Structures are given as structure tokens and as C-alpha cells.
Amino acid sequence: MNTFPWYATELFLRICEAGGLSAASRHGKIGISQPALSGQMATLEQHLGVKLFERKPFQLTAQGKQFQEEALRLRTRMGLLEHALAQGTEKPLRIAAADVIIRNYLPLLLKQIDHGTRTRLVLREAPSQDLAGLVRDGEADIAIGALSRHVHQGTTPLVEVIARPPFLLHIPPSYRKKIKEWSDLMPLLRSEPPGLISLPQDSLIGQHINAALRKSRVEWHPTVEVCSLSHVPAYVDLDFGFGFGILTADVKTAPYFKNCMPIPTDRIPAMPIGVWYHENLDPTAQHLLALIRQMGKRIC
């Protein structure tokens, strides 16, 4: 029997995370060209004797979903084994999340858990598109952030949607008298779009917003690119342009909220926020997971 194509299996999982061959190749972390990536997928499908996914548009077949779940489960267990061998029996509670969550939400959650038996907590800031991989590869026990539309709940690492907060638009000073509703903005976007402060367009939130705008025949590209949504209000107030944000409970009490406009979900759908975690969490991590679920109910 031929050697199992483990390398191709890893590439397949990364294609699933990215949402397609082209997206995975553009992401820049796979390290091979798109033709080579296609060749690896052909090898994997030939070895398994099944078709794993449709190419255009990207969609897993039933066999592909089954193979993805089993491959993810195996990779997670190997990552946990690797970490256990390296760290011994004592290990920190490792949490990965976007900076807004680490700064605004996580401190209050961590105050509610008893981590006295642990040597330390490790908090890692990371973009949403990397969170599943950090948990999957054994580099984080729990991760919190935006979910891709390609994520299937219940896969390994386990993932749950905890909230679906809608988007809002920060309005710069020069437009605050003219823009009161989303419909006021659309003629402007279709003629000569104004400045935009935004996350990178290849981020999950950037992709989500751009896909929704294209349905309205709008292309709105960032003129100021930032690494976090928390930076957006300051640049909007300086009149660099408009900026997108997520309408959470803490934002509603922020001073800048009076200069924001909620975006109808039929124009830009709400972004699911999720939590990834391993199957076998210790009691402290399980307690934190329960608190994260409760946080999700209060976040909107």
C-alpha cells in the first residue's frame, strides 16, 4: 500500500480554512504555488478514491466533510501530545483572541476563575483567521474571534457560535450632517467612495464586508489600513474617512457611539463570533469556556 499522503492532508485542511484553492494560495502561509497545491489535492483524492470538494465555487462533498473532521481530530490529538511531551504534566492555560477581546472582555472573565493551581496564563493576540489553527495545532487551549462562513460547527477543534453582533459605521465629522441612514451613503459609494479606515481586505471581517458590498455593486477599498477595529474611531474623528465597527454592548456606552450608525443586517449581515476549544479541557478551562458562553449572551 502506498504511503499515506500526510502532507497533502495538511494542505487540504488549510484549503478548507481558507475557503478554496485560490484563497489558500493567496494567504501566503502554505508555501507552494497554486498548481502544486492542485497537484497535491489530486494525489490525495486519488489515494482516497473519492472527490473531496468542488473547485468553483469551493464546497466540500459529503466524503470531504467526513475526511476533514477525522483529519482535524487526529491533528489536534497529535498537537496535544506534542505539547504534553514538551511541557510535562503542568502547563499554562493558553488563550488566543483578537486584541479587543483580550483588552475589553477577557480580564473580567479571568477574574472569575480560580487559576491558583496554574503556574501561569498565556494570552496571545492573533487575527481571527489564525485562531482555529492555533487551537488545532496545540498552541492554544481556547480561542475567541470572528468565524469564517466556511467553518462547520462541531468539527475539531470544536467550535461554537456565541454571538452575532451587527456592524456599525463610524461617520467622520465632515459627513455627520449629511449621512443619517445607510441609504444616504449608497449614492456616495456608487459615485466616488470617500476614505475608509478598515482592517486588511484579506481579514475575515474585511472579506465579509466586501462580499456584502459587492452584492450592492459597491467597491470600497481602505485608504487607511489598521490592525484592529479599536483603532478605527480615532482616525474617523480626525476625518480620514468612514470606518466599520461591530455593535457590541460596550460600544453602545462608548463616547464615540453618538457618531455611529447601525448597519441594517440585510445590507451587511451580522458577523458570527465563535469560540474554538479542544475536546479534553481541564476543569479550569471548562469553567472559562462556560463564562465565555455567558459573555456571548451579553455581548450584543
Side-chain angles (χ1 to χ4, degrees):
M1 183 175 178
N2 294 333
T3 303
F4 190 83
W6 295 108
Y7 176 58
T9 299
E10 173 64 23
L11 293 177
F12 165 74
L13 293 176
R14 298 197 179 195
I15 289 169
C16 292
E17 292 160 8
L21 284 159
S22 298
S25 181
R26 288 196 306 269
H27 197 265
K29 294 187 177 181
I30 285 187
I32 65 173
S33 65
Q34 186 171 335
L37 190 58
S38 297
Q40 288 287 337
M41 292 305 97
T43 298
L44 180 61
E45 289 180 325
Q46 183 178 4
H47 183 93
L48 296 172
V50 298
K51 187 173 184 178
L52 295 174
F53 57 89
E54 303 294 340
R55 267 60 175 173
K56 292 183 180 180
F58 176 78
Q59 184 176 2
L60 290 175
T61 63
Q63 295 90 341
K65 290 179 181 178
Q66 181 181 4
F67 181 70
Q68 180 198 32
E69 292 176 6
E70 293 300 325
L72 284 170
R73 187 171 292 112
L74 177 61
R75 187 168 62 175
T76 297
R77 288 174 178 168
M78 293 304 295
L80 291 171
L81 174 61
E82 179 184 12
H83 184 76
L85 292 173
Q87 300 292 328
T89 56
E90 294 185 6
K91 63 175 184 176
L93 175 57
R94 301 159 304 155
I95 307 163
D99 72 318
V100 173
I101 291 173
I102 290 177
R103 184 180 65 251
N104 294 352
Y105 295 98
L106 207 50
L108 296 176
L109 298 183
L110 292 175
K111 281 194 69 174
Q112 299 178 65
I113 67 173
D114 177 15
H115 58 272
T117 58
R118 290 191 175 274
T119 56
R120 59 195 173 104
L121 294 166
V122 176
L123 308 182
R124 177 169 179 174
E125 180 184 328
S128 292
Q129 59 263 34
D130 293 345
L131 294 177
L134 292 174
V135 177
R136 176 200 65 212
D137 297 340
E139 297 181 43
D141 301 301
I142 295 175
I144 316 164
L147 282 175
S148 166
R149 61 189 175 91
H150 300 291
V151 169
H152 302 288
Q153 288 201 80
T155 58
T156 304
L158 299 173
V159 58
E160 299 175 18
V161 174
I162 60 170
R164 294 182 184 273
F167 283 96
L168 60 81
L169 188 70
H170 299 270
I171 303 173
S174 58
Y175 287 91
R176 285 171 188 166
K177 293 183 178 179
K178 295 182 284 186
I179 305 297
K180 300 297 183 183
E181 298 179 353
W182 182 255
S183 58
D184 298 332
L185 181 65
M186 294 309 294
L188 186 65
L189 295 182
R190 290 192 175 121
S191 57
E192 187 175 348
L196 175 65
I197 298 96
S198 173
L199 293 174
Q201 289 188 300
D202 62 353
S203 67
L204 286 182
I205 291 178
Q207 292 177 25
H208 182 91
I209 292 172
N210 286 334
L213 290 174
R214 288 193 191 102
K215 290 184 178 179
S216 298
R217 301 189 301 278
V218 168
E219 293 286 343
W220 198 6
H221 302 292
T223 50
V224 177
E225 193 173 283
V226 294
C227 63
S228 168
L229 290 179
S230 62
H231 302 321
V232 171
Y235 286 90
V236 171
D237 280 343
L238 292 173
D239 227 4
F240 279 90
F242 289 80
F244 289 102
I246 295 179
L247 184 53
T248 55
D250 61 315
V251 168
K252 294 176 183 178
T253 61
Y256 58 75
F257 182 61
K258 65 180 182 297
N259 298 319
C260 296
M261 175 181 68
I263 300 176
T265 55
D266 62 339
R267 297 303 177 183
I268 298 182
M271 188 84 189
I273 305 297
V275 56
W276 293 262
Y277 55 94
H278 289 307
E279 292 178 286
N280 302 311
L281 294 176
D282 66 22
T284 303
Q286 291 177 14
H287 186 195
L288 177 60
L289 180 59
L291 293 172
I292 291 170
R293 290 171 176 145
Q294 293 174 19
M295 176 192 75
K297 296 176 182 178
R298 302 190 303 268
I299 205 170
C300 297

